[in-house]
Amino acid sequence: MKDSFNANPRPHFVIVPLMAQGHMIPAVDMARLLADGGATISFITTPINAARIRPIIDRIHNSALPIRFIELRFPSAEAGIPEDCENFDLITSENLLKPFVEALPLLCPQLESYLQQSSTPKPDCIIADNWHYWTVEVARKFGIPRLVFHGQSCFSIYCSTVLRRRKMLDEIEDDFQVFELPEMPEKIEVMKAQVRRWVDSPDGYNIRQMFYAGEAAADGIVINTFDELEPWYIDSYRKKAIGKKVWTIGPLSLYNKHVEDRASRGKPSSIDGGVLLQWLNGKTSNSVILVSFGSISRNAFPQIIEIGYALEASKIPFIWVVKEADSAAAAAVGDIETDKWMSEFEERTRLTGLVIRGWAPQSVILSHEAVGGFMTHCGWNSTLEAIAAGVPMVTWPRFGDQFLNERMVVDVLKVGVAVGVKLPPTKVVMAAGEKGLRVVRREEVEEAVRKLMGRGEEAEERRKRVREFGVMASKAMEDGGSSFHNLKDLINFAASHST
Ligand code: UDP
């Protein structure tokens, strides 16, 4: 690897992502974009997380982009969590959630010691996920600016700001009450239970308060979105909520031009790339629906079979990513039931469907012309990747910002069909087989799929709109586009603080 760190006048960003797929994936994209644009990067990670993205690290090293991956030891022992629990998606029980979060600030001494080493170029700017609020102190110590990275939509961030400022959730007693969000340019209705955890910390945590304090202390905000997608919300957040510099630099996924880059995002794929492409190439344009629910939320067995029967009955070609049926994972947690049912299902639907047990190269699939729909949990990365690829969605939110993202997709952008789920699960992290969700019946799932993939006027209108957003997304990232411009400005900002 060519190490362009020595005697390098390029501004040096230190990127500290949350160890969760939905945060690490865009952070790696951001690191590459910044490095490509003239910056030098230290990317903070841990051994297990680095091992997962080894192919992408190797590709970066071969391309001579000046990005150093710094593997800090994850402080599992100090926090009282299992040794290999270094990523949100490795948390196997709700009880481990709090200690995992508490382990994060314990990374501080290691980060400081790395930045003090004489072989490390002087840092010019920290970009930290808002879960790493403790980096406020690191930035202060080194006398450099610290920016918060939000991997969420500006819509969901702005809604949470308004709810908090007006203390609205305190005034609503009933968790099931549906209410209209104030100050919005369109009618947005949510249920308290859908947004409670997004606005306030769950009992016994003060993590959200830490986020807000970390955001208030930040020198600016970087968001994975683009101006043309949600102009009113970006403008309002910038002027009315945060009152500081906001750089919108997305969709970050579009940085991945080569199929190898897209294929190695997150984790090694559970399906051979050739087999996948051959399958997709055999399907007509816009005929396939991708069904996948991100890296964290799990479906219990009764829900899995309802989704399966719905896809089978619809006769619509599908790719279904079933991480619950990853053979190794299923064996480890004893989810033999799912494993067995899936095998029979795969046999029956061999001609129309492709099941991926484990991790799928999602952005490769979404950008293939055969794909015409996406059933998603509305994680912001998945949502933005679908928009960037011009693919309409069936929305099926689970927790966090996802219910708000659903409102954005369905009510604001009008590029999705809601499956109709109203309540979040009782837990964020569900063990295999746990029943924390109301089961959405197969008829409801099938109806949403048919509506999305159908040829009616509404469906065509959705398709047209999302394609238009896709074109805007590409333009934003091209030379001269809004995100391109903001990225340059961000690099200049760090350079102007370089001493
Ligand atoms: N992803 C993927 N393959 C999978 C599942 C997820 O590549 O099988 C990627 C997806 O493209 C996205 C990220 O993982 O970039 C998930 O982030 P998101 O915000 O959508 O959801 P989360 O996993 O954080 O709930």
Side-chain angles (χ1 to χ4, degrees), residues 20-23 25-26 151 262 265-267 292-297 321 323 356 358-363 366 376-383 385 399 402:
Q21 292 291 11
H23 297 242
I25 291 173
R262 291 204 294 273
R265 291 173 91 223
K267 275 203 280 195
S292 183
F293 302 101
S295 64
I296 298 169
S297 45
V321 186
K323 59 183 171 306
I356 301 178
W359 189 258
Q362 183 168 299
S363 68
L366 279 173
T376 172
H377 69 307
C378 302
W380 181 241
N381 293 288
S382 296
T383 306
E385 286 161 19
F399 57 81
Q402 296 160 12

Side-chain angles (χ1 to χ4, degrees), residues 203-218:
D203 298 340
Y205 289 68
N206 61 352
I207 187 76
R208 291 268 157 217
Q209 282 62 33
M210 294 295 196
F211 287 0
Y212 298 135
E215 197 183 53

Side-chain angles (χ1 to χ4, degrees), residues 93-319:
S93 111
E94 185 91 353
N95 298 337
L96 293 176
L97 208 52
K98 192 163 179 259
F100 180 89
V101 172
E102 287 168 353
L104 302 175
L106 306 180
L107 289 164
C108 184
Q110 291 183 72
L111 177 59
E112 288 187 354
S113 131
Y114 164 68
L115 296 177
Q116 265 151 2
Q117 281 166 26
S118 55
S119 60
T120 306
K122 193 192 152 301
D124 296 311
C125 182
I126 295 179
I127 306 184
D129 201 286
N130 63 352
W131 288 73
H132 293 299
Y133 52 84
W134 51 272
T135 50
V136 172
E137 291 311 320
V138 183
R140 211 166 274 158
K141 193 160 175 176
F142 287 83
I144 56 174
R146 172 186 151 277
L147 312 178
V148 163
F149 174 67
H150 281 308
Q152 290 90 27
S153 61
C154 211
F155 172 80
S156 68
I157 303 168
Y158 185 67
C159 291
S160 118
T161 314
V162 170
L163 287 171
R164 200 158 34 89
R165 173 163 46 77
R166 298 175 65 123
K167 296 192 172 44
M168 280 195 76
L169 297 187
D170 299 345
E171 289 161 17
I172 299 171
E173 293 257 307
D174 182 1
D175 242 21
F176 304 107
Q177 187 177 323
V178 175
F179 63 98
E180 190 177 331
L181 290 178
E183 303 176 28
M184 302 292 154
E186 41 269 291
K187 184 171 175 159
I188 310 289
E189 287 188 325
V190 287
M191 187 188 277
K192 180 177 175 182
Q194 296 172 344
V195 292
R196 195 165 49 82
R197 274 186 157 206
W198 177 239
V199 178
D200 282 326
S201 306
D203 298 340
Y205 289 68
N206 61 352
I207 187 76
R208 291 268 157 217
Q209 282 62 33
M210 294 295 196
F211 287 0
Y212 298 135
E215 197 183 53
D219 297 287
I221 311 287
V222 181
I223 312 186
N224 184 16
T225 185
F226 61 104
D227 290 349
E228 294 74 8
L229 183 69
E230 39 176 354
W232 190 90
Y233 296 95
I234 294 171
D235 206 43
S236 303
Y237 176 66
R238 188 178 273 139
K239 293 190 184 135
K240 293 197 251 168
I242 197 81
K244 53 184 83 174
K245 189 88 186 163
V246 176
W247 288 274
T248 45
I249 59 166
L252 290 165
S253 62
L254 286 182
Y255 179 71
N256 298 278
K257 299 267 183 273
H258 300 286
V259 78
E260 290 87 354
D261 287 332
R262 291 204 294 273
S264 45
R265 291 173 91 223
K267 275 203 280 195
S269 167
S270 306
I271 183 165
D272 176 79
V275 171
L276 174 66
L277 282 181
Q278 199 184 4
W279 190 91
L280 280 165
N281 290 342
K283 299 286 174 280
T284 51
S285 184
N286 291 317
S287 64
V288 176
I289 182 160
L290 169 66
V291 179
S292 183
F293 302 101
S295 64
I296 298 169
S297 45
R298 299 181 67 89
N299 284 307
F301 179 63
Q303 185 63 76
I304 289 177
I305 64 175
E306 292 302 303
I307 297 170
Y309 284 128
L311 292 174
E312 191 174 356
S314 77
K315 300 201 168 48
I316 289 167
F318 64 86
I319 294 182

